[in-house]
Amino acid sequence: MIELVSESKCVKCNLCVKVCPTNVFDKVDNDIPVIARQDDCQTCFMCELYCPVDALYVAPQADWNVSITEAVVENKGLIGSYREKVGWGPKRTPVASHGYIYELYKRAKF
Amino acid sequence: MKKDIELVADVLVIGGGPAGTWAALTAASKGSKVVLVDKGYCGTSGATAPSGTGVWYVNPDEESRTKAKLGRFELGGRLAEDTWMNRVLDQTYENMNQLSAWGYPFPLNEEGNPHKTGLQGPEYMRLMRKIVHKAGVKILDHSPALELLADEHGVGGAVGVRQQTGETWKVEAGAVIIASGGCAFLSKALGCNVLTGDGYLMAAEAGADFSGMEFSNAYAISPIFSSVTKTAYYSYASFYYEDGSIVEGAGSKRGRSVIAKKISEGIKVFAVLDQAPEEIRPFLRISQTNFFLPFDRLGIDPFKDKFQITLRLEGTVRGTGGIQIVDETMKTLVQGLYAAGDAATRELICGGFTGGGSHNAAWAMSSGTLAGKGASEYAQRTGVGNRDLKGLSSVPITVGNSTFKTAEYVRAVQEEVMPYDRNLFRTEHKLAGSINRLDDLWKDIRNGSISIEGNAIKARESVAMTLTARHMFNAAINRKETRGMHKRIDFPQIDANQHYRLISSGLDEISVRPKPVEQEAILK
């Protein structure tokens, strides 16, 4: 579930409020958005992917809360890691075009 | 009652996943004025957006096509139809080439040509939103439809709310396309919590029928802690008990029942992808980045470390049942009402079984395109006109306080549809028990009312899930055999005399009748 909106990184663009398919965030005037309905989070990671400044962290646990701090996920290099892997953001190449997808197609057993 | 936002369109599309976006785009390209409403956000909503998917993209030569059509024909219980498979293969081929022309970044093959047998959900749906927007379609995000509007000429629009502003909306339209997906009963399978059968409910309230609702018990393997359901990768898995011994017969395909039995007996099952050859592991990582994300975040190496698994219900999202359609325009029995994607029955190309991706992705884009064309032509023929439209909700949607027991209804439905010993392994006895309890629940629901100021969409979702479950189990109790994904413990064999579709109809009373399969699919 979504666990973190980083105060230090968030630029208040509210894109997460807009793109979350289950409407988990609320916009706050002159402040960063809040996680208003965490129970509605479906752990789809889309907010993280759309966040232009890597200010969000979705913990992989879908059914229960975990307590994490920004320092911990930052130190482990987890914050922003999904967007990097998908290849979204400036000077990145979308993973969709990666040649390994074709390589897997040639060899996959499914 | 006057709504805060009132719009008039030729075509209203409900749902902004792959089926809805292709439908909207196609209708707009035929000159129709189109409004698309999404319960969440068009671009991230639904099962496709957060995932990667294979696509049934097959070269149009006869040998390749025949092989493709036979691929899942037997698994589906011989209920797919040749004409439909041809139609969808043709349309998918065209749509995938179109995506390439629009700039979807396909990987290249040895000859330097785009390789088009799969799509990355985030990239695909972001592109679809952009193209739909460019085509002049008006998109309303976070704007669930609450009920259809109709008069004696058929369906003519819908009303709903905007979740983030509390405004109400009304769209009057010449035709309405339901592309709101299937129903996974809030199981948190990846991207599926917006898929709660809302479109089934609206279609049933308008008088549409369903086909194949017994094929609604798809369960996907996921790590116990995670939402990520990517069963295909488990074809490289070994399955273990807690003590490290092998679970005999367990597998990602036919062996899924073995896993389900163990878990329902309270035995923990673990998986590890140790059968994946070393050299393809980097390819697996790149092809499904989201599969590895939960593991990476917890420091688990899924190729080496055993992790506990569960099976998450995907209901009709990966099942094949849905709204019955009449012909290749994707129209339903109700004038002005069309269905596409998982909302419409996918039996026509899959029969009673489907693996992931492939056929499902092909169906979404093809049926969406066909529905967009069909609805657009209908709307242009009949016009919007001045109509006396009324809301069709089976539970009154009112202003003011209401005490609708949404959470209680959701829990009660989940208790019937989630247990493997009820829904995956079916018996007359347990199905009858579930039907009785769900009928009682339905009666209670029908006596309530939903407040537009409360969380009306959540209330409607609970009604939709209850109705979906009742159609599923009523169809299931009438198919006294095992065919496709429908497993009857009391009738474990396929029965040649039941080689037909099951059509279910109704709201308060659900009736089920057999319908012949139009054509023997591929006669060999």
Side-chain angles (χ1 to χ4, degrees):
Chain A
M1 291 193 277
I2 177 75
E3 294 288 356
L4 186 77
V5 183
S6 162
E7 272 182 62
S8 58
K9 290 183 163 183
C10 178
V11 292
K12 303 174 194 165
C13 72
N14 288 304
L15 195 55
C16 54
V17 181
K18 189 173 158 187
V19 303
C20 171
T22 55
N23 198 29
V24 162
F25 303 94
D26 272 346
K27 189 177 166 176
V28 179
D29 285 341
N30 303 316
D31 207 340
I32 65 170
V34 290
I35 303 166
R37 288 163 295 275
Q38 193 183 24
D39 283 353
D40 287 342
C41 175
Q42 60 171 356
T43 318
C44 68
F45 305 98
M46 295 306 287
C47 56
E48 232 192 88
L49 196 51
Y50 273 78
C51 178
V53 293
D54 297 329
L56 302 172
Y57 180 71
V58 178
Q61 290 88 348
D63 296 308
W64 57 85
N65 282 111
V66 290
S67 52
I68 48 112
T69 62
E70 185 174 344
V72 169
V73 289
E74 190 74 63
N75 283 340
K76 287 185 176 173
L78 297 178
I79 200 158
S81 60
Y82 186 41
R83 195 163 75 105
E84 187 187 353
K85 290 214 162 71
V86 172
W88 280 15
K91 295 183 184 160
R92 287 176 180 161
T93 308
V95 75
S97 65
H98 203 295
Y100 280 10
I101 294 173
Y102 179 59
E103 294 303 320
L104 181 65
Y105 167 79
K106 289 194 289 184
R107 294 174 175 82
K109 69 184 239 188
F110 48 81
Chain B
M1 191 175 61
K2 178 104 174 82
K3 305 294 178 192
D4 300 319
I5 299 166
E6 297 198 343
L7 300 169
V8 176
D10 298 309
V11 176
L12 168 65
V13 181
I14 299 174
T21 47
W22 278 105
L25 188 65
T26 308
S29 74
K30 305 275 170 201
S32 286
K33 189 177 171 200
V34 184
V35 176
L36 182 154
V37 294
D38 193 293
K39 182 159 77 172
Y41 175 80
C42 171
T44 64
S45 263
T48 298
S51 196
T53 178
V55 180
W56 209 32
Y57 177 83
V58 183
N59 281 326
D61 61 277
E62 201 177 328
E63 196 192 332
S64 308
R65 287 285 168 97
T66 304
K67 189 168 161 245
K69 288 188 284 183
L70 285 168
R72 293 183 186 177
F73 184 58
E74 292 296 333
L75 273 175
R78 306 178 74 87
L79 291 172
E81 294 182 12
D82 197 34
T83 320
W84 268 104
M85 289 193 280
N86 289 334
R87 190 176 283 141
V88 167
L89 282 165
D90 285 345
Q91 191 64 58
T92 301
Y93 190 76
E94 196 181 315
N95 289 16
M96 290 295 279
N97 293 342
Q98 184 63 64
L99 280 171
S100 188
W102 284 331
Y104 178 91
F106 287 106
L108 303 179
N109 62 18
E110 288 89 352
E111 290 84 45
N113 296 319
H115 171 74
K116 301 173 203 154
T117 64
L119 290 164
Q120 298 290 323
E123 202 72 44
Y124 172 33
M125 292 316 300
R126 186 172 66 169
L127 176 64
M128 287 307 293
R129 183 187 175 96
K130 196 176 103 186
I131 303 281
V132 164
H133 185 75
K134 231 162 100 179
V137 172
K138 183 166 181 64
I139 301 172
L140 298 179
D141 297 304
H142 299 289
S143 301
L146 291 175
E147 62 178 334
L148 294 177
L149 299 172
D151 61 11
E152 72 275 18
H153 304 296
V155 168
V159 293
V161 285
R162 306 206 77 189
Q163 292 291 87
Q164 297 188 337
T165 61
E167 294 164 293
T168 52
W169 61 260
K170 175 165 114 174
V171 178
E172 286 187 38
V176 175
I177 300 171
I178 292 184
S180 51
C183 183
F185 299 96
L186 299 174
S187 69
K188 292 201 175 173
L190 190 63
C192 286
N193 267 27
V194 293
L195 309 172
T196 46
D198 311 359
Y200 298 153
L201 174 63
M202 289 187 276
E205 287 168 341
D209 283 351
F210 297 85
S211 181
M213 290 303 281
E214 68 277 31
F215 305 121
S216 47
N217 50 351
Y219 288 81
I221 302 174
S222 84
I224 195 153
F225 60 83
S226 169
S227 57
V228 177
T229 42
K230 269 284 139 217
T231 303
Y233 274 23
Y234 291 90
S235 54
Y236 294 110
S238 304
F239 297 92
Y240 297 92
Y241 296 113
E242 203 164 10
D243 66 4
S245 60
I246 286 273
V247 181
E248 290 298 334
S252 64
K253 291 192 182 111
R254 288 171 193 279
R256 221 179 295 183
S257 294
V258 176
I259 297 169
K261 281 203 185 89
K262 297 297 172 197
I263 295 175
S264 65
E265 288 164 17
I267 298 167
K268 290 178 184 168
V269 177
F270 295 77
V272 55
L273 306 186
D274 53 6
Q275 306 293 314
E278 200 73 47
E279 67 274 15
I280 75 158
R281 292 179 184 184
F283 307 155
L284 290 165
R285 279 196 167 270
I286 290 294
S287 299
Q288 294 281 359
T289 46
N290 66 352
F291 181 90
F292 294 92
L293 181 67
F295 296 117
D296 291 346
R297 291 195 168 177
L298 295 183
I300 296 167
D301 177 353
F303 296 116
K304 295 199 177 81
D305 306 329
K306 297 186 180 89
F307 51 93
Q308 198 184 344
I309 54 161
T310 189
L311 294 169
R312 281 189 194 269
L313 180 62
E314 290 181 313
T316 62
V317 176
R318 209 167 293 223
T320 64
I323 300 166
Q324 189 201 6
I325 53 156
V326 175
D327 61 23
E328 71 276 14
T329 67
M330 301 303 292
K331 70 178 183 188
T332 68
L333 286 179
V334 182
Q335 286 290 307
L337 187 65
Y338 294 73
D342 287 351
T345 182
R346 212 188 309 117
E347 279 175 301
L348 299 163
I349 64 157
C350 298
F353 177 88
T354 159
S358 182
H359 292 55
N360 309 357
W363 176 249
M365 63 172 70
S366 298
S367 63
T369 304
L370 294 170
K373 185 164 175 276
S376 169
E377 281 166 8
Y378 175 85
Q380 285 170 15
R381 207 162 58 235
T382 56
V384 179
N386 228 341
R387 295 168 66 175
D388 184 24
L389 296 164
K390 297 222 162 41
L392 297 178
S393 177
S394 48
V395 180
I397 299 171
T398 60
V399 180
N401 286 334
S402 102
T403 51
F404 201 75
K405 295 172 280 186
T406 301
E408 190 183 306
Y409 297 141
V410 169
R411 254 195 319 276
V413 175
Q414 285 178 334
E415 278 169 21
E416 303 300 338
V417 295
M418 283 187 176
Y420 312 141
D421 65 341
R422 292 201 165 277
N423 195 10
L424 181 54
F425 307 115
R426 293 163 164 176
T427 60
E428 174 99 23
H429 175 70
K430 287 201 171 169
L431 287 168
S434 288
I435 290 169
N436 279 334
R437 287 186 294 277
L438 289 164
D439 282 350
D440 288 344
L441 200 64
W442 181 257
K443 278 176 203 140
D444 199 52
I445 283 172
R446 284 282 256 160
N447 289 326
S449 67
I450 293 170
S451 167
I452 191 95
E453 286 119 10
N455 208 331
I457 183 58
K458 292 218 163 180
R460 284 287 282 168
E461 287 174 356
S462 72
V463 183
M465 285 189 276
T466 308
L467 183 76
T468 304
R470 290 170 66 237
H471 274 271
M472 282 164 51
F473 287 161
N474 275 284
I477 205 167
N478 277 286
R479 192 176 280 287
K480 298 178 197 306
E481 62 164 349
T482 289
R483 186 185 293 267
M485 67 175 63
H486 169 69
K487 289 185 189 64
R488 284 288 295 261
I489 301 307
D490 42 357
F491 298 101
Q493 303 299 325
I494 194 164
D495 169 15
N497 293 321
Q498 294 182 57
H499 182 234
Y500 44 58
R501 303 194 188 293
L502 287 177
I503 307 297
S504 56
S505 333
L507 282 171
D508 294 327
E509 300 292 329
I510 293 175
S511 62
V512 179
R513 62 185 187 279
K515 179 177 176 284
V517 179
E518 298 294 343
Q519 290 150 299
E520 187 62 42
I522 306 159
L523 297 166
K524 282 267 162 184

